[in-house]
Amino acid sequence: MLAEDSTLLREGLVRLLTEEGHEVPAAVGDAVALLREVEARPPDLVVVDIRMPPTHTDEGLRAALEIRERWPGVGVLVLSQHMERNYAAQLLTSNAERVGYLLKDRVAQVEEFLDALERIRAGGAAIDPEVVRQLVVRSTHTDPLARLTPRERSVLETLAQGHTNAAIAEKLHISLSAVEKNLNMIFDKLELAHTTGYNRRILAVLRYLES
């Protein structure tokens, strides 16, 4: 399901997704209508703009948070015109599963956009690389991330975008064993080595975004 107040972008997304074999049961122009549609027939995933009518401030974000609370099985991909750090943190730090935050410019890069949808639908995360980069700048002098080596930070940054070990290895041009070694070091330095009951990868991403 889609919620986007720009008719041109909304119809373009519907056409793109339909052509790629996805079903789009509802495409609406405001957050209230999105919640009504989700309640009537919860989809696999919703794509929602942050700034929606009537105030064009955070209606879309509040709808996304409500969907994650009421329908935890529904994946949520939030689109934003610009990097909005507070909104990103509010959405992502509660749970890094089945969630995404992309800048709208990323939609024009069709393969990346479709890949993000598939990762979220499969239970993962998809965080815009630019969002991650800005969070890196913010957290450079913050412990415990300051204890990470440049390579470990690169691995964690790519992990935070929602990629698997194999994809991290490909993107950073390192071996799969090197990725696994760096992840183990990251878990140790973030004191997640012996954590039980919750995925260490998710906890590492949350620690990263909260810093």
Side-chain angles (χ1 to χ4, degrees):
M1 291 183 178
L2 304 175
E4 165 60 55
D5 64 309
S6 167
T7 303
L8 183 62
L9 178 55
R10 185 172 68 247
E11 295 304 317
L13 286 172
V14 170
R15 180 174 179 179
L16 168 64
L17 293 172
T18 302
E19 289 177 349
E20 292 294 326
H22 297 281
E23 181 185 354
V24 184
V28 299
D30 63 80
V32 172
L34 174 64
L35 291 172
R36 185 170 58 245
E37 293 288 348
V38 172
E39 184 171 25
R41 43 180 174 171
D44 293 328
L45 188 147
V46 299
V47 179
V48 56
D49 187 11
I50 282 182
R51 299 182 181 276
M52 302 281 286
T55 69
H56 293 279
T57 53
D58 63 353
E59 283 87 351
L61 173 72
R62 287 189 279 112
L65 293 172
E66 182 172 344
I67 290 169
R68 285 175 64 72
E69 180 179 352
R70 295 176 61 187
W71 300 282
V74 176
V76 174
L77 173 58
V78 167
L79 298 178
S80 179
Q81 188 67 43
H82 306 287
M83 162 59 176
E84 300 176 86
R85 183 175 291 140
N86 291 336
Y87 289 156
Q90 189 174 352
L91 178 71
L92 300 170
T93 55
S94 60
N95 187 339
E97 292 180 308
R98 298 180 66 83
V99 64
Y101 186 107
L102 292 184
L103 300 182
K104 284 190 174 180
D105 289 346
R106 197 68 58 188
V107 177
Q109 301 175 33
V110 174
E111 291 303 321
E112 290 191 28
F113 175 64
L114 295 174
D115 178 65
L117 293 179
E118 290 300 330
R119 275 187 274 151
I120 295 168
R121 189 171 66 171
I127 305 172
D128 197 288
E130 181 58 29
V131 172
V132 174
R133 277 193 289 270
Q134 293 198 34
L135 290 168
V136 168
V137 171
R138 189 179 83 167
S139 61
T140 299
H141 302 294
T142 303
D143 286 330
L145 296 182
R147 296 154 55 190
L148 302 183
T149 67
R151 172 60 75 191
E152 290 163 357
R153 292 183 68 84
S154 296
V155 169
L156 182 54
E157 175 182 345
T158 313
L159 173 68
Q161 294 170 24
H163 294 293
T164 63
N165 287 10
I168 293 171
E170 181 179 355
K171 286 183 172 293
L172 298 182
H173 305 290
I174 58 178
S175 68
L176 186 58
S177 62
V179 172
E180 293 169 351
K181 179 181 178 181
N182 277 278
L183 283 175
N184 285 330
M185 292 300 297
I186 290 167
F187 295 149
D188 285 341
K189 292 179 180 181
L190 297 183
E191 300 178 355
L192 301 175
H194 305 293
T195 300
T196 59
Y198 207 57
N199 191 308
R200 288 190 301 172
R201 297 168 70 89
I202 295 172
L203 290 173
V205 171
L206 295 180
R207 187 75 57 84
Y208 176 70
L209 295 172
E210 288 171 343
S211 63

